[in-house]
Amino acid sequence: MMHKLMIAALFALPGTAMAQTAPAPAPAATPAATPKFTLDTPIQDIVADTQGKAVIDKDLPGLIGLPQYDMFKGLSLKQVQAYSDGKLTDEILAKVATDLAAIK
């Protein structure tokens, strides 16, 4: 009986709300979708994906068939650019980056 009186007294206190719930937290801002592949992704990871391989074959034909492929496949396209004697230009890589960004 004493517990019932204490509970009733608690709800009778001014400023005490019954069945009050906390407001729902604001949804977290969703970060911009990051592309599946970038110019920093190792080439072997891009080529392991059928869509990624299609981009490499289209934008950089013959790259995968080079005899040196096994030596540089673990590098990114940005890293390989430094060893390409100017063949991997910024313009070519920009096109590859755009096509890779379209892969979901």
Side-chain angles (χ1 to χ4, degrees):
M1 175 86 162
M2 182 70 142
H3 293 298
K4 287 182 182 179
L5 289 174
M6 289 175 67
I7 293 172
L10 178 64
F11 288 119
L13 292 175
T16 304
M18 291 180 50
Q20 189 176 29
T21 58
T30 55
T34 54
K36 186 174 182 178
F37 301 113
T38 69
L39 297 178
D40 294 314
T41 304
I43 297 168
Q44 64 190 0
D45 293 351
I46 297 170
V47 172
D49 180 87
T50 54
Q51 291 177 310
K53 183 177 183 306
V55 167
I56 297 297
D57 287 341
K58 179 177 77 101
D59 294 341
L60 302 168
L63 180 75
I64 298 168
L66 290 173
Q68 303 89 346
Y69 177 73
D70 282 339
M71 294 187 325
F72 65 77
K73 68 182 181 182
L75 301 176
S76 71
L77 289 169
K78 278 188 179 178
Q79 292 171 317
V80 171
Q81 184 183 30
Y83 303 104
S84 72
D85 292 327
K87 292 177 184 158
L88 278 180
T89 64
D90 290 340
E91 292 79 20
I92 291 171
L93 289 184
K95 171 71 173 131
V96 175
T98 298
D99 291 345
L100 289 176
I103 299 172
K104 303 297 177 206

